[in-house]
Amino acid sequence: MMLLPGSTLGVLGGGQLGRMFCVAARNMGYRSVVLEPQQNCPAAVVADLHIQADYTEPQALQQLAELCDAITTEFENVPAESLEFLEQRKPVHPSAQAVAIARHRMQEKQYATEAGLAPAPYALIQSAADFAAAAEVTGFPAILKTSTLGYDGKGQQLVNDPVELERAFQQLGQVECVLERRLSLAKEISVLLARNAEGNVACYPPAENEHRNGILHQTIVPARVDDTLADRARLQAIGLANTMDYVGVLAVEFFITTDNQLVFNEMAPRPHNSGHYTLDASLTSQFEQQVRVMCGLPPGEAKLFCPVVMVNLLGDLWPIDWQNCLSHGSLKLHLYGKEEARAGRKMGHYNLLSTDLEQGITEAAEVFSLLSK
Ligand code: ADP
Ligand code: MG
């Protein structure tokens, strides 16, 4: 079944991802409804309707199900029961099961391994009794990560020895964690794809991600990796999506180690920050893909028009002097409409398009250096 323009699409979460989804839906003639507890959330002004309620509130979920022809999510931390509730009433993509896998670090690693991908050596830690056996698997240094709810480097700690492991587990609140070997990284890349229910896939070229303080700073596309490795990463991401019979937009993060190994890191069952460049540099944006796939349409062409650098604008930079930024003729600015600029908060991003990737990287950095003067 195809949902055509005029249909109503629901999204759980009204942050920037929900907002850009609603814009894509609106551009294509769909109506959108956002469920999000936060008043004045970024998506509220672009959605046709904002249901302001908690993600678990039965009445709100019921209303969403009644109003919408299909439903998606902007983040993986929605309660599983909410997605299951909706799934019993309307098509939900990605499925509650896929979201549940991606939400849990242990499960996503297990699934990825089954699909032939290679995560860093890891072990589950539920209590202090698991420390020794886990450290045996990973060695030190290792990274202790909470099984769920981690993002932007939050909920994880580097540990160099058994004493630090014990302390980190305490500091993370003794919740279930995954310990993984700390690898020596040459690069981080992500592969974004969209897959529909018939198994048609549009896969974007690998993107190269640079983090600062655990938060994505910039994404460079295409990633500066050799073709063999780029192809391998794409095939692995597609293989993972096929194994999960995944329907939706999927982002798969990989590490490339200093000895050139391709290592699976994690996946996001939704559009991804590293895919924001697709808004301006690709034939089909990741948000249009989200609309298409949940509507049962074929994914759009994922072709890249030209090299592009996406730079995140965090609240730390505020107030910004927009002059330089907006004077650049091939820079596209996207702001999320967040009123309060807090440190570490993602306020917007820009995409700098170029004919030459290295030149684009230099220009993107120049613009960045002049932002908060
Ligand atoms: P998040 O959910 O916060 O994105 P990630 O697991 O992707 O969590 O980790 C955040 C960042 O921490 C990664 O992008 C990478 O820079 C670093 N990192 C995570 N795991 C490892 C590892 N096993 N070895 C080396 N660096 C790591
Ligand atoms: Mg990550």
Side-chain angles (χ1 to χ4, degrees):
M1 186 193 54
M2 281 191 192
L3 296 173
L4 300 174
S7 306
T8 302
L9 309 179
V11 57
L12 291 164
Q16 62 266 23
L17 299 178
R19 174 184 171 106
M20 291 183 272
F21 166 79
C22 290
V23 171
R26 176 160 284 212
N27 282 340
M28 296 169 75
Y30 292 88
R31 298 171 57 78
S32 60
V33 180
V34 172
L35 173 61
E36 155 74 55
Q38 200 80 43
Q39 198 187 3
N40 298 327
C41 62
V45 287
V46 284
D48 290 274
L49 179 70
H50 173 203
I51 303 172
Q52 196 192 334
D54 198 81
Y55 303 118
T56 52
E57 201 186 288
Q59 272 179 332
L61 290 167
Q62 184 63 38
Q63 190 190 0
L64 187 69
E66 279 168 16
L67 288 171
C68 298
D69 300 299
I71 295 157
T72 188
T73 179
E74 71 149 11
F75 69 134
E76 51 274 40
N77 294 322
V78 277
E81 308 76 52
S82 299
L83 284 175
E84 283 157 12
F85 176 96
L86 294 168
E87 221 164 43
Q88 281 156 20
R89 289 157 177 83
K90 288 292 164 69
V92 175
H93 299 299
S95 68
Q97 197 214 352
V99 175
I101 293 167
R103 180 172 37 227
H104 199 280
R105 290 195 190 277
M106 191 76 184
Q107 283 186 28
E108 70 183 345
K109 287 184 203 299
Q110 282 166 350
Y111 237 92
T113 307
E114 267 171 47
L117 285 68
Y122 67 94
L124 186 70
I125 293 197
Q126 288 173 308
S127 73
D130 300 322
F131 289 167
E136 191 82 6
V137 173
T138 64
F140 290 107
I143 301 182
L144 186 68
K145 303 180 179 180
T146 57
S147 286
T148 59
L149 301 176
Y151 72 98
D152 288 346
K154 294 186 177 65
Q156 57 177 272
Q157 284 192 29
L158 175 67
V159 293
N160 290 297
D161 54 47
V163 177
E164 287 187 15
L165 173 57
E166 192 178 334
R167 198 184 312 144
F169 188 62
Q170 295 285 343
Q171 282 171 2
L172 292 174
Q174 293 179 288
V175 294
E176 188 188 284
C177 286
V178 173
L179 187 68
E180 63 182 68
R181 179 175 301 168
R182 206 275 300 259
L183 304 170
S184 169
L185 308 185
K187 259 188 183 42
E188 297 191 50
I189 61 170
S190 50
V191 176
L192 181 72
L193 62 82
R195 185 179 185 275
N196 74 2
E198 273 127 72
N200 296 316
V201 176
C203 184
Y204 292 86
E208 179 179 336
N209 299 320
E210 197 187 301
H211 298 84
R212 290 189 183 170
N213 304 319
I215 304 178
L216 184 66
H217 168 60
Q218 67 177 1
T219 296
I220 295 166
V221 195
R224 294 167 295 174
V225 298
D226 68 65
D227 289 348
T228 330
L229 206 110
D231 287 345
R232 202 139 49 87
R234 283 160 59 117
L235 286 175
Q236 290 194 2
I238 294 169
L240 178 57
N242 289 338
T243 302
M244 293 171 72
D245 198 15
Y246 186 85
V247 178
V249 173
L250 181 71
V252 184
E253 295 180 13
F254 294 96
F255 299 135
I256 298 172
T257 60
T258 43
D259 56 355
N260 216 34
Q261 299 297 307
L262 183 66
V263 176
F264 167 82
N265 177 26
E266 60 172 353
M267 61 174 133
R270 51 170 169 80
H272 193 253
N273 196 165
S274 70
H276 289 355
Y277 76 87
T278 61
L279 285 165
D280 300 307
S282 307
L283 190 60
T284 316
S285 81
Q286 59 174 347
F287 303 101
E288 175 174 343
Q289 301 286 26
Q290 192 177 16
V291 171
R292 285 176 159 272
V293 162
M294 74 187 289
C295 289
L297 303 169
E301 173 71 59
K303 194 169 104 106
L304 185 71
F305 290 139
C306 63
V308 57
V309 180
M310 187 282 314
V311 179
N312 266 340
L313 298 172
L314 302 185
D316 313 58
L317 297 163
W318 259 245
I320 288 186
D321 174 4
W322 294 112
Q323 202 92 51
N324 277 298
C325 184
L326 292 170
S327 302
H328 195 295
S330 46
L331 179 152
K332 307 291 285 182
L333 178 67
H334 298 263
L335 291 177
Y336 310 146
K338 297 181 183 177
E339 279 160 18
E340 198 195 338
R342 290 195 295 271
R345 191 175 201 206
K346 290 174 181 168
M347 304 295 289
H349 68 271
Y350 60 78
N351 292 326
L352 195 142
L353 284 70
S354 63
T355 45
D356 176 79
L357 184 58
E358 293 301 327
Q359 176 71 25
I361 293 169
T362 305
E363 286 179 24
E366 271 166 19
V367 170
F368 189 76
S369 71
L370 295 171
L371 284 176
S372 26
K373 288 258 160 77

